[in-house]
């Protein structure tokens, strides 16, 4: 099992773009292409994009970004786009990506990490706490969770 930081391993850029686009087809393809491509040479610590590789195959992804298209601009960074291939679910592989994002956020001096989702029950298993609702530009709401980085 290997977690790949696309910023640290820029030769994964095109694979990362394609994988995020495939994993999140409801997001305009140009969003991941633009954000991942520019993250490699970003002047700041964010955004970060991660791939999860098992036996040479990509099985998951996640990001650590400044805002996940949510109204709470006062909160950051955000874990976003967490995805594990369906046949790999149930093995807690998502927790590996969550822990990597938390470690990078902590190393960058952040005290909390946030995420927004419609899922109830999943992130609570990893000690995320529900703190309220947030609003997306397209009119939907999402639950907002936070976790302290001790």
């Amino acid at each position: 099992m290997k977690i790949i930081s696309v910023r640290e391993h820029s030769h994964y850029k095109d694979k990362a773009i394609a994988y995020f686009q495939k994993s999140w087809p409801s997001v305009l393809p140009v969003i991941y292409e633009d954000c991942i491509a520019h993250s490699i040479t970003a002047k700041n610590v964010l955004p970060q994009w991660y791939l999860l590789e098992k036996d040479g195959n990509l099985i998951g992804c996640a990001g650590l970004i400044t805002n996940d298209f949510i109204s709470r601009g006062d909160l950051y960074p955000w874990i976003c786009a967490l995805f594990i291939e369906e046949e790999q679910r149930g093995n807690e592989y998502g927790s590996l990506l969550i822990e990597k994002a938390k470690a990078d956020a902590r190393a960058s001096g952040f005290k909390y990490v946030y995420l927004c989702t419609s899922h109830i029950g999943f992130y609570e298993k990893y000690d995320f706490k529900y703190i309220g609702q947030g609003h997306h530009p397209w009119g939907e709401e999402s639950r907002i969770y936070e976790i302290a980085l001790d």
Side-chain angles (χ1 to χ4, degrees):
M1 193 71 57
K2 182 165 87 172
I3 297 175
I4 300 157
S5 164
V6 179
R7 184 180 286 203
E8 294 171 10
H9 302 279
S10 60
H11 59 281
Y12 275 88
K13 176 188 74 143
D14 292 336
K15 282 184 183 179
I17 291 167
Y19 191 80
F20 275 87
Q21 289 172 335
K22 174 187 82 72
S23 300
W24 295 99
S26 64
V27 176
L28 290 173
V30 70
I31 299 294
Y32 288 123
E33 181 178 347
D34 199 36
C35 193
I36 292 170
H38 287 96
S39 72
I40 293 167
T41 58
K43 294 179 176 94
N44 297 307
V45 297
L46 299 177
Q48 295 282 341
W49 298 96
Y50 311 106
L51 297 170
L52 185 60
E53 188 177 76
K54 179 183 177 189
D55 301 327
N57 297 309
L58 296 179
I59 65 161
C61 61
L64 183 65
I65 60 176
T66 57
N67 189 296
D68 199 7
F69 299 106
I70 194 90
S71 57
R72 293 296 304 273
D74 58 311
L75 306 175
Y76 58 91
W78 297 79
I79 294 174
C80 72
L82 178 65
F83 179 85
I84 300 295
E85 293 292 337
E86 191 168 342
E87 66 274 6
Q88 299 293 333
R89 294 177 188 167
N91 296 302
E92 304 217 6
Y93 294 146
S95 69
L96 300 174
L97 292 164
I98 290 169
E99 289 304 317
K100 173 64 172 160
K102 287 170 50 181
D104 283 356
R106 187 180 303 109
S108 297
F110 293 104
K111 304 292 184 206
Y112 295 88
V113 171
Y114 303 88
L115 60 85
C116 58
T117 185
S118 59
H119 295 291
I120 299 172
F122 179 76
Y123 294 101
E124 291 89 341
K125 293 188 306 189
Y126 301 105
D127 296 324
F128 280 85
K129 305 289 185 241
Y130 172 73
I131 62 168
Q133 294 294 111
H135 306 276
H136 296 285
W138 51 88
E140 294 178 9
E141 285 187 22
S142 285
R143 297 171 61 84
I144 297 175
Y145 289 85
E146 80 174 2
I147 191 166
L149 304 175
D150 302 319

